[in-house]
């Protein structure tokens, strides 16, 4: 099945109003791409401004997290509906930094994925094992449990993406070998197909963790790798565009 590659940049807690110039460069570069879909996920403070700047361009704007509920007494939190209202088209949920620093469980991540669906946002659901889990030979069961617990139940209009991000590869410069990535993505595809049928076949599985221009070709040409979730390298337009160029 044909899946359009998605290259999404997770800016994390980086970016000020002055970063708009970088987005402009990404938008200009994205016009040269024919195949890849580009997305920038800035901090919430920049969502509205970035969504306005990107309107009508090939660059989608996404958020980095959302609350499970639409509104209420949850100081500091932001709902999926608010993100949509600010112009977001997608939201990352269950990033390992949220799981680790904010104690997010699979059940909470599933709630957030459902909130995204309710608000009409594409959820990018992150899964991935730690170094210790991989070394103990538990990478597959860990990812399997995260998929089972974090993804929403099948439904007709369900659309989401999965990002496989080994925790030990994030921001470290280390990446799994091609064989390990191929094996994990094939396993995720098999789980998605078994649970969602055609929807699972059409669901994009992104790889994330130290993707750079220098290794993009090696990582993004693996079977069942339908694009990338990029952290550090997405902050520089030239690097982000060089990665996306691998997908065409
Ligand atoms: C991420 O945090 O989602 C990520 C992939 O980061 P980096 O590319 O910096 O490893």
């Amino acid at each position: 099945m044909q899946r359009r590659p998605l290259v999404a940049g997770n800016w994390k807690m980086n970016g000020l109003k002055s970063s708009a110039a970088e987005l402009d460069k990404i938008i200009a570069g994205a016009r040269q791409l024919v195949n890849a879909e580009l997305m920038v996920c800035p901090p919430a403070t920049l969502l509205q401004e970035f969504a306005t700047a990107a309107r009508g361009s090939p660059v989608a704007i996404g958020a980095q997290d959302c609350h499970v509920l639409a509104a209420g007494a949850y100081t500091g939190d932001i709902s999926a509906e608010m993100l949509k209202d600010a112009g977001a088209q997608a939201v990352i949920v269950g990033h390992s930094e949220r799981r680790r620093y904010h104690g997010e469980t699979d059940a909470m991540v599933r709630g957030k994925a459902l909130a995204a669906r309710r608000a009409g946002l594409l959820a990018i659901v992150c899964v991935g094992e730690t170094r210790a889990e991989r070394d103990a030979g538990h990478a597959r069961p860990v990812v399997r449990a995260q998929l089972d617990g974090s993804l929403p139940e099948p439904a007709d209009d369900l659309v989401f993406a999965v990002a496989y991000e080994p925790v030990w590869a994030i921001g470290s410069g280390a990446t799994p070998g091609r064989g390990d990535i191929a094996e994990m993505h094939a396993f995720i595809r098999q789980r998605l197909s078994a649970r969602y049928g055609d929807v699972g076949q059409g669901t994009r599985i992104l790889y994330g963790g130290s993707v750079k221009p220098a290794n993009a070709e090696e990582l993004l040409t693996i079977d069942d790798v339908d694009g990338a979730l990029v952290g550090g390298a997405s902050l520089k337009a030239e690097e982000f565009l060089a990665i996306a160029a691998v997908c065409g």
Side-chain angles (χ1 to χ4, degrees):
M1 181 179 284
Q2 208 51 25
R3 290 178 293 269
R4 189 173 178 212
L6 170 63
V7 179
N10 174 12
W11 279 26
K12 311 193 184 192
M13 199 172 72
N14 296 292
L16 300 170
K17 278 197 235 168
S18 53
S19 314
E22 216 59 34
L23 177 69
D24 290 343
K25 283 194 234 166
I26 292 172
I27 291 172
R31 295 191 202 282
Q32 316 305 317
L33 300 170
V34 284
N35 196 27
E37 181 182 344
L38 238 61
M39 182 183 292
V40 174
C41 302
T45 47
L46 295 178
L47 265 183
Q48 185 136 24
E49 189 175 328
F50 275 32
T52 302
R55 190 167 300 139
S57 86
V59 177
I61 300 298
Q64 300 174 14
D65 179 43
C66 67
H67 196 274
V68 296
L69 298 177
Y74 298 95
T75 303
D77 281 317
I78 302 177
S79 72
E81 282 75 1
M82 291 167 173
L83 300 174
K84 175 90 176 172
D85 190 50
Q89 289 143 278
V91 59
I92 300 167
V93 296
H95 190 280
S96 63
E97 287 153 13
R98 300 290 315 173
R99 292 178 186 262
R100 181 170 172 201
Y101 302 130
H102 298 268
E104 291 190 8
T105 62
D106 288 333
M108 289 159 80
V109 176
R110 173 186 269 164
K112 291 177 182 218
L114 286 168
R117 174 157 164 253
R118 185 186 65 220
L121 299 175
L122 173 79
I124 301 174
V125 184
C126 302
V127 296
E129 81 286 355
T130 62
R131 183 76 252 180
E133 287 163 342
R134 175 158 284 272
D135 290 346
H138 297 155
R140 262 198 197 203
V142 165
V143 168
R144 178 188 179 139
Q146 289 175 338
L147 291 170
D148 289 354
S150 305
L151 294 176
E153 289 311 312
D156 286 350
D157 59 344
L158 189 59
V159 189
F160 60 90
V162 171
Y164 168 57
E165 299 206 301
V167 178
W168 52 275
I170 294 179
S172 66
T175 60
R178 273 177 68 93
D180 287 336
I181 295 177
E183 194 184 313
M184 187 60 86
H185 278 241
F187 174 67
I188 295 172
R189 174 73 58 213
Q190 180 198 320
R191 299 294 300 167
L192 292 176
S193 298
R195 190 164 168 194
Y196 299 98
D198 284 351
V199 170
Q201 277 297 324
T203 297
R204 291 175 290 189
I205 308 172
L206 315 183
Y207 168 77
S210 294
V211 180
K212 311 280 177 215
N215 61 17
E217 179 93 41
E218 183 189 338
L219 299 173
L220 304 187
T221 53
I222 300 170
D223 274 358
D224 274 313
V225 172
D226 306 311
L229 183 54
V230 185
S234 70
L235 294 168
K236 296 218 171 70
E238 301 76 39
E239 291 191 22
F240 189 49
L241 290 166
I243 292 167
V246 169
C247 299

